[in-house]
Amino acid sequence: MSRPIYILNGPNLNRLGTREPEIYGRTTLAEVETMCREAAGDNPIVFKQSNREYEIIDWVHEAIDQGSGIIINPAAFTFTSMAIMDALKMFPGPLIELHISNIHRREQIYHKSYVSPVATAVIAGLGTNGYPVAVKAVLDMIAKASVKA
Ligand code: DHK
């Protein structure tokens, strides 16, 4: 079986659907997981959410050992966590930083990401549709890398 893509979600995203719907929409995190599984087809994914920084770091370490790609919405940890950045630095595969909202169009505090400098790519502002787009992009990068190898 091929190595799974890890899709990791940070704090407060467990409230997706009711949390500030004018910014994040009404789609729930469970519905986002379904969208990702549909986009991945037969390719395995690991879909996780936590409000705890250490748990997200542990899942990044797991992805380093067992995964083929990472899609991460670090939520507020994007702007605070060097620890998550340091963990992501060790991941050798395609890494997409994802935000439902366009953080660069929001308040200044949402502009400096610790993750962007270590990411392969950044998706922001596509709403929850950004997740299946990211899944397709990671699968494409994995396929291209395997052709090169
Ligand atoms: C989600 C959050 O929780 C915020 O802290 C980020 C991000 C934006 C999002 O757009 O998905 O700033």
Short mmCIF file of all heavy atoms in Angstrom, two decimals, residues 21-70:
data_model
loop_
_atom_site.label_atom_id
_atom_site.label_comp_id
_atom_site.label_asym_id
_atom_site.label_seq_id
_atom_site.Cartn_x
_atom_site.Cartn_y
_atom_site.Cartn_z
N PRO A 21 -18.74 31.88 10.43
CA PRO A 21 -19.07 31.40 9.07
C PRO A 21 -18.83 32.45 7.98
O PRO A 21 -18.57 32.08 6.83
CB PRO A 21 -20.55 31.02 9.18
CG PRO A 21 -21.04 31.67 10.43
CD PRO A 21 -19.88 31.80 11.35
N GLU A 22 -18.87 33.73 8.34
CA GLU A 22 -18.61 34.77 7.34
C GLU A 22 -17.17 34.73 6.85
O GLU A 22 -16.87 35.20 5.75
CB GLU A 22 -18.94 36.17 7.92
CG GLU A 22 -18.02 36.66 9.03
CD GLU A 22 -18.25 35.97 10.39
OE1 GLU A 22 -19.18 35.12 10.47
OE2 GLU A 22 -17.48 36.24 11.34
N ILE A 23 -16.26 34.13 7.63
CA ILE A 23 -14.85 33.98 7.24
C ILE A 23 -14.56 32.55 6.76
O ILE A 23 -13.94 32.34 5.72
CB ILE A 23 -13.90 34.31 8.41
CG1 ILE A 23 -14.07 35.77 8.85
CG2 ILE A 23 -12.44 34.02 8.03
CD1 ILE A 23 -13.27 36.12 10.10
N TYR A 24 -15.08 31.54 7.53
CA TYR A 24 -14.68 30.15 7.27
C TYR A 24 -15.76 29.31 6.60
O TYR A 24 -15.52 28.14 6.29
CB TYR A 24 -14.23 29.50 8.59
CG TYR A 24 -13.09 30.24 9.24
CD1 TYR A 24 -13.29 30.98 10.40
CD2 TYR A 24 -11.82 30.21 8.69
CE1 TYR A 24 -12.25 31.69 10.98
CE2 TYR A 24 -10.76 30.90 9.27
CZ TYR A 24 -11.00 31.64 10.42
OH TYR A 24 -9.96 32.33 10.98
N GLY A 25 -16.96 29.89 6.38
CA GLY A 25 -18.01 29.14 5.70
C GLY A 25 -18.77 28.21 6.62
O GLY A 25 -18.51 28.17 7.83
N ARG A 26 -19.69 27.43 6.06
CA ARG A 26 -20.56 26.55 6.84
C ARG A 26 -20.22 25.07 6.69
O ARG A 26 -20.87 24.22 7.29
CB ARG A 26 -22.02 26.79 6.44
CG ARG A 26 -22.51 28.21 6.78
CD ARG A 26 -23.87 28.20 7.43
NE ARG A 26 -24.23 29.53 7.91
CZ ARG A 26 -24.09 29.93 9.18
NH1 ARG A 26 -23.59 29.10 10.09
NH2 ARG A 26 -24.41 31.15 9.55
N THR A 27 -19.20 24.77 5.91
CA THR A 27 -18.80 23.37 5.75
C THR A 27 -18.11 22.89 7.02
O THR A 27 -17.25 23.59 7.55
CB THR A 27 -17.85 23.22 4.55
OG1 THR A 27 -18.50 23.77 3.39
CG2 THR A 27 -17.49 21.77 4.30
N THR A 28 -18.51 21.71 7.53
CA THR A 28 -17.90 21.19 8.76
C THR A 28 -16.57 20.48 8.44
O THR A 28 -16.31 20.13 7.29
CB THR A 28 -18.82 20.15 9.42
OG1 THR A 28 -18.92 19.01 8.54
CG2 THR A 28 -20.23 20.73 9.67
N LEU A 29 -15.77 20.22 9.48
CA LEU A 29 -14.49 19.54 9.28
C LEU A 29 -14.72 18.11 8.80
O LEU A 29 -13.96 17.59 7.98
CB LEU A 29 -13.65 19.55 10.55
CG LEU A 29 -12.18 19.19 10.36
CD1 LEU A 29 -11.47 20.20 9.46
CD2 LEU A 29 -11.46 19.06 11.70
N ALA A 30 -15.79 17.48 9.27
CA ALA A 30 -16.11 16.12 8.81
C ALA A 30 -16.41 16.12 7.31
O ALA A 30 -15.98 15.23 6.57
CB ALA A 30 -17.33 15.59 9.58
N GLU A 31 -17.10 17.17 6.84
CA GLU A 31 -17.39 17.28 5.40
C GLU A 31 -16.10 17.54 4.62
O GLU A 31 -15.92 17.02 3.52
CB GLU A 31 -18.42 18.40 5.16
CG GLU A 31 -19.82 18.04 5.65
CD GLU A 31 -20.74 19.25 5.79
OE1 GLU A 31 -20.25 20.41 5.88
OE2 GLU A 31 -21.97 19.03 5.83
N VAL A 32 -15.19 18.31 5.22
CA VAL A 32 -13.89 18.56 4.57
C VAL A 32 -13.13 17.24 4.43
O VAL A 32 -12.54 16.96 3.38
CB VAL A 32 -13.05 19.59 5.37
CG1 VAL A 32 -11.62 19.63 4.87
CG2 VAL A 32 -13.69 20.97 5.29
N GLU A 33 -13.19 16.41 5.48
CA GLU A 33 -12.50 15.11 5.42
C GLU A 33 -13.07 14.28 4.27
O GLU A 33 -12.32 13.67 3.49
CB GLU A 33 -12.63 14.35 6.73
CG GLU A 33 -11.93 13.00 6.69
CD GLU A 33 -11.88 12.27 8.02
OE1 GLU A 33 -12.35 12.84 9.04
OE2 GLU A 33 -11.37 11.13 8.03
N THR A 34 -14.39 14.27 4.12
CA THR A 34 -15.02 13.53 3.03
C THR A 34 -14.56 14.06 1.67
O THR A 34 -14.22 13.27 0.77
CB THR A 34 -16.56 13.64 3.14
OG1 THR A 34 -16.96 13.15 4.43
CG2 THR A 34 -17.27 12.87 2.04
N MET A 35 -14.48 15.40 1.54
CA MET A 35 -14.02 15.99 0.28
C MET A 35 -12.59 15.54 -0.03
O MET A 35 -12.25 15.24 -1.17
CB MET A 35 -14.06 17.52 0.39
CG MET A 35 -15.45 18.13 0.45
SD MET A 35 -15.47 19.77 1.23
CE MET A 35 -14.58 20.77 0.03
N CYS A 36 -11.75 15.46 1.01
CA CYS A 36 -10.35 15.04 0.81
C CYS A 36 -10.27 13.58 0.40
O CYS A 36 -9.50 13.23 -0.50
CB CYS A 36 -9.55 15.28 2.09
SG CYS A 36 -9.32 17.02 2.48
N ARG A 37 -11.08 12.72 1.04
CA ARG A 37 -11.07 11.30 0.71
C ARG A 37 -11.56 11.08 -0.73
O ARG A 37 -10.99 10.27 -1.46
CB ARG A 37 -11.91 10.51 1.71
CG ARG A 37 -11.26 10.49 3.10
CD ARG A 37 -11.82 9.46 4.05
NE ARG A 37 -11.20 9.60 5.37
CZ ARG A 37 -9.97 9.18 5.66
NH1 ARG A 37 -9.23 8.58 4.73
NH2 ARG A 37 -9.45 9.36 6.88
N GLU A 38 -12.54 11.85 -1.15
CA GLU A 38 -13.02 11.75 -2.54
C GLU A 38 -11.93 12.19 -3.52
O GLU A 38 -11.67 11.55 -4.53
CB GLU A 38 -14.30 12.58 -2.72
CG GLU A 38 -15.55 11.88 -2.16
CD GLU A 38 -16.73 12.83 -1.96
OE1 GLU A 38 -16.60 14.02 -2.35
OE2 GLU A 38 -17.74 12.37 -1.38
N ALA A 39 -11.24 13.30 -3.17
CA ALA A 39 -10.18 13.80 -4.06
C ALA A 39 -9.00 12.83 -4.13
O ALA A 39 -8.34 12.72 -5.16
CB ALA A 39 -9.69 15.17 -3.56
N ALA A 40 -8.76 12.11 -3.03
CA ALA A 40 -7.62 11.18 -2.97
C ALA A 40 -7.90 9.87 -3.69
O ALA A 40 -6.97 9.14 -4.05
CB ALA A 40 -7.25 10.90 -1.51
N GLY A 41 -9.19 9.55 -3.88
CA GLY A 41 -9.53 8.30 -4.55
C GLY A 41 -8.99 7.10 -3.79
O GLY A 41 -9.19 7.02 -2.57
N ASP A 42 -8.20 6.22 -4.46
CA ASP A 42 -7.64 5.03 -3.79
C ASP A 42 -6.41 5.33 -2.95
O ASP A 42 -5.91 4.46 -2.23
CB ASP A 42 -7.27 3.97 -4.85
CG ASP A 42 -8.49 3.55 -5.65
OD1 ASP A 42 -9.61 3.74 -5.12
OD2 ASP A 42 -8.32 3.10 -6.81
N ASN A 43 -5.89 6.56 -3.06
CA ASN A 43 -4.69 6.90 -2.29
C ASN A 43 -5.04 7.12 -0.83
O ASN A 43 -5.97 7.86 -0.52
CB ASN A 43 -4.04 8.16 -2.87
CG ASN A 43 -3.68 7.98 -4.33
OD1 ASN A 43 -2.72 7.32 -4.67
ND2 ASN A 43 -4.51 8.55 -5.21
N PRO A 44 -4.31 6.49 0.11
CA PRO A 44 -4.63 6.62 1.53
C PRO A 44 -4.33 8.02 2.07
O PRO A 44 -3.38 8.67 1.63
CB PRO A 44 -3.73 5.58 2.19
CG PRO A 44 -2.58 5.42 1.25
CD PRO A 44 -3.15 5.62 -0.13
N ILE A 45 -5.16 8.49 2.98
CA ILE A 45 -4.89 9.74 3.69
C ILE A 45 -5.07 9.52 5.18
O ILE A 45 -5.82 8.63 5.60
CB ILE A 45 -5.80 10.90 3.21
CG1 ILE A 45 -7.26 10.71 3.64
CG2 ILE A 45 -5.71 11.14 1.71
CD1 ILE A 45 -8.11 11.96 3.46
N VAL A 46 -4.36 10.33 5.97
CA VAL A 46 -4.54 10.39 7.42
C VAL A 46 -5.04 11.80 7.70
O VAL A 46 -4.37 12.77 7.34
CB VAL A 46 -3.21 10.13 8.16
CG1 VAL A 46 -3.34 10.40 9.65
CG2 VAL A 46 -2.72 8.71 7.90
N PHE A 47 -6.25 11.92 8.28
CA PHE A 47 -6.87 13.24 8.47
C PHE A 47 -7.00 13.49 9.97
O PHE A 47 -7.66 12.71 10.68
CB PHE A 47 -8.25 13.26 7.81
CG PHE A 47 -8.87 14.64 7.72
CD1 PHE A 47 -8.74 15.38 6.57
CD2 PHE A 47 -9.58 15.16 8.78
CE1 PHE A 47 -9.30 16.66 6.47
CE2 PHE A 47 -10.15 16.42 8.72
CZ PHE A 47 -10.01 17.17 7.55
N LYS A 48 -6.34 14.56 10.47
CA LYS A 48 -6.31 14.79 11.92
C LYS A 48 -6.59 16.26 12.23
O LYS A 48 -6.28 17.14 11.42
CB LYS A 48 -4.91 14.45 12.46
CG LYS A 48 -4.45 13.02 12.26
CD LYS A 48 -5.03 12.09 13.27
CE LYS A 48 -4.39 10.71 13.20
NZ LYS A 48 -5.03 9.75 14.16
N GLN A 49 -7.11 16.51 13.45
CA GLN A 49 -7.27 17.86 13.97
C GLN A 49 -6.94 17.87 15.46
O GLN A 49 -7.27 16.92 16.16
CB GLN A 49 -8.71 18.38 13.79
CG GLN A 49 -8.89 19.85 14.19
CD GLN A 49 -9.07 20.10 15.68
OE1 GLN A 49 -9.56 19.23 16.43
NE2 GLN A 49 -8.67 21.26 16.15
N SER A 50 -6.24 18.91 15.92
CA SER A 50 -5.96 19.04 17.35
C SER A 50 -5.83 20.50 17.74
O SER A 50 -5.40 21.33 16.94
CB SER A 50 -4.67 18.32 17.74
OG SER A 50 -4.43 18.49 19.14
N ASN A 51 -6.21 20.76 19.00
CA ASN A 51 -6.01 22.09 19.57
C ASN A 51 -4.70 22.12 20.35
O ASN A 51 -4.38 23.13 20.97
CB ASN A 51 -7.20 22.46 20.48
CG ASN A 51 -8.50 22.48 19.69
OD1 ASN A 51 -8.52 22.83 18.50
ND2 ASN A 51 -9.59 22.05 20.33
N ARG A 52 -3.95 20.96 20.31
CA ARG A 52 -2.70 20.84 21.07
C ARG A 52 -1.49 20.85 20.13
O ARG A 52 -1.37 19.99 19.26
CB ARG A 52 -2.70 19.54 21.86
CG ARG A 52 -3.88 19.39 22.82
CD ARG A 52 -3.94 18.00 23.43
NE ARG A 52 -5.21 17.80 24.13
CZ ARG A 52 -6.34 17.46 23.50
NH1 ARG A 52 -6.34 17.33 22.19
NH2 ARG A 52 -7.47 17.31 24.18
N GLU A 53 -0.56 21.76 20.40
CA GLU A 53 0.61 21.92 19.53
C GLU A 53 1.44 20.63 19.47
O GLU A 53 1.84 20.18 18.40
CB GLU A 53 1.48 23.07 20.05
CG GLU A 53 2.66 23.42 19.19
CD GLU A 53 3.45 24.60 19.75
OE1 GLU A 53 3.39 24.84 21.00
OE2 GLU A 53 4.13 25.28 18.97
N TYR A 54 1.66 19.99 20.64
CA TYR A 54 2.52 18.80 20.68
C TYR A 54 1.94 17.66 19.85
O TYR A 54 2.67 16.90 19.21
CB TYR A 54 2.80 18.35 22.11
CG TYR A 54 1.66 17.66 22.81
CD1 TYR A 54 1.45 16.29 22.63
CD2 TYR A 54 0.76 18.36 23.61
CE1 TYR A 54 0.39 15.65 23.24
CE2 TYR A 54 -0.32 17.73 24.22
CZ TYR A 54 -0.49 16.37 24.03
OH TYR A 54 -1.56 15.73 24.62
N GLU A 55 0.59 17.58 19.79
CA GLU A 55 -0.01 16.49 19.01
C GLU A 55 0.26 16.69 17.52
O GLU A 55 0.56 15.75 16.79
CB GLU A 55 -1.53 16.45 19.25
CG GLU A 55 -1.92 15.57 20.42
CD GLU A 55 -3.43 15.27 20.43
OE1 GLU A 55 -4.20 16.20 20.15
OE2 GLU A 55 -3.80 14.11 20.69
N ILE A 56 0.19 17.95 17.08
CA ILE A 56 0.46 18.23 15.66
C ILE A 56 1.91 17.91 15.33
O ILE A 56 2.21 17.29 14.30
CB ILE A 56 0.11 19.70 15.35
CG1 ILE A 56 -1.41 19.89 15.46
CG2 ILE A 56 0.60 20.12 13.96
CD1 ILE A 56 -1.88 21.32 15.45
N ILE A 57 2.82 18.22 16.25
CA ILE A 57 4.25 17.88 16.05
C ILE A 57 4.42 16.37 15.97
O ILE A 57 5.13 15.85 15.10
CB ILE A 57 5.09 18.50 17.18
CG1 ILE A 57 5.08 20.03 17.05
CG2 ILE A 57 6.52 17.95 17.16
CD1 ILE A 57 5.59 20.77 18.27
N ASP A 58 3.73 15.64 16.84
CA ASP A 58 3.83 14.17 16.82
C ASP A 58 3.34 13.61 15.48
O ASP A 58 3.94 12.69 14.93
CB ASP A 58 3.01 13.57 17.98
CG ASP A 58 3.68 13.80 19.34
OD1 ASP A 58 4.87 14.21 19.35
OD2 ASP A 58 3.01 13.59 20.37
N TRP A 59 2.24 14.19 14.92
CA TRP A 59 1.75 13.72 13.63
C TRP A 59 2.70 14.07 12.49
O TRP A 59 2.84 13.31 11.53
CB TRP A 59 0.35 14.28 13.36
CG TRP A 59 -0.71 13.73 14.26
CD1 TRP A 59 -0.78 12.46 14.76
CD2 TRP A 59 -1.85 14.42 14.78
NE1 TRP A 59 -1.89 12.32 15.56
CE2 TRP A 59 -2.56 13.50 15.58
CE3 TRP A 59 -2.35 15.72 14.63
CZ2 TRP A 59 -3.74 13.85 16.24
CZ3 TRP A 59 -3.53 16.06 15.28
CH2 TRP A 59 -4.22 15.14 16.05
N VAL A 60 3.39 15.22 12.60
CA VAL A 60 4.39 15.54 11.58
C VAL A 60 5.52 14.52 11.63
O VAL A 60 5.97 14.02 10.60
CB VAL A 60 4.94 16.98 11.77
CG1 VAL A 60 6.12 17.25 10.83
CG2 VAL A 60 3.83 18.02 11.53
N HIS A 61 5.95 14.15 12.85
CA HIS A 61 7.00 13.12 12.98
C HIS A 61 6.53 11.79 12.38
O HIS A 61 7.29 11.11 11.68
CB HIS A 61 7.37 12.93 14.46
CG HIS A 61 8.06 14.12 15.05
ND1 HIS A 61 8.33 14.21 16.41
CD2 HIS A 61 8.51 15.28 14.50
CE1 HIS A 61 8.92 15.36 16.66
NE2 HIS A 61 9.06 16.03 15.52
N GLU A 62 5.26 11.46 12.60
CA GLU A 62 4.69 10.22 12.05
C GLU A 62 4.71 10.28 10.52
O GLU A 62 5.08 9.31 9.86
CB GLU A 62 3.24 10.08 12.54
CG GLU A 62 2.64 8.69 12.43
CD GLU A 62 1.19 8.70 12.89
OE1 GLU A 62 0.96 8.95 14.10
OE2 GLU A 62 0.28 8.54 12.04
N ALA A 63 4.38 11.45 9.97
CA ALA A 63 4.39 11.63 8.51
C ALA A 63 5.81 11.50 7.96
O ALA A 63 6.01 10.95 6.87
CB ALA A 63 3.80 12.99 8.15
N ILE A 64 6.81 11.98 8.70
CA ILE A 64 8.21 11.86 8.28
C ILE A 64 8.56 10.38 8.14
O ILE A 64 9.22 9.97 7.18
CB ILE A 64 9.14 12.55 9.30
CG1 ILE A 64 8.94 14.07 9.26
CG2 ILE A 64 10.61 12.18 9.05
CD1 ILE A 64 9.54 14.80 10.45
N ASP A 65 8.06 9.55 9.07
CA ASP A 65 8.39 8.12 9.08
C ASP A 65 7.51 7.29 8.16
O ASP A 65 7.96 6.30 7.59
CB ASP A 65 8.27 7.57 10.51
CG ASP A 65 9.22 8.27 11.48
OD1 ASP A 65 10.27 8.78 11.00
OD2 ASP A 65 8.90 8.35 12.68
N GLN A 66 6.25 7.71 7.96
CA GLN A 66 5.29 6.84 7.26
C GLN A 66 4.52 7.50 6.12
O GLN A 66 3.74 6.83 5.43
CB GLN A 66 4.25 6.31 8.27
CG GLN A 66 4.83 5.58 9.45
CD GLN A 66 3.80 5.40 10.56
OE1 GLN A 66 2.60 5.45 10.30
NE2 GLN A 66 4.27 5.26 11.78
N GLY A 67 4.72 8.83 5.91
CA GLY A 67 3.87 9.53 4.94
C GLY A 67 4.56 9.85 3.63
O GLY A 67 5.78 9.74 3.51
N SER A 68 3.75 10.27 2.65
CA SER A 68 4.29 10.64 1.33
C SER A 68 4.12 12.13 1.06
O SER A 68 4.77 12.67 0.17
CB SER A 68 3.55 9.85 0.24
OG SER A 68 2.16 10.15 0.30
N GLY A 69 3.21 12.77 1.81
CA GLY A 69 2.98 14.21 1.63
C GLY A 69 2.26 14.77 2.84
O GLY A 69 1.66 14.01 3.62
N ILE A 70 2.36 16.09 3.01
CA ILE A 70 1.66 16.76 4.12
C ILE A 70 0.89 17.96 3.59
O ILE A 70 1.41 18.74 2.79
CB ILE A 70 2.64 17.25 5.21
CG1 ILE A 70 3.31 16.08 5.94
CG2 ILE A 70 1.92 18.13 6.24
CD1 ILE A 70 4.35 16.51 6.99
#
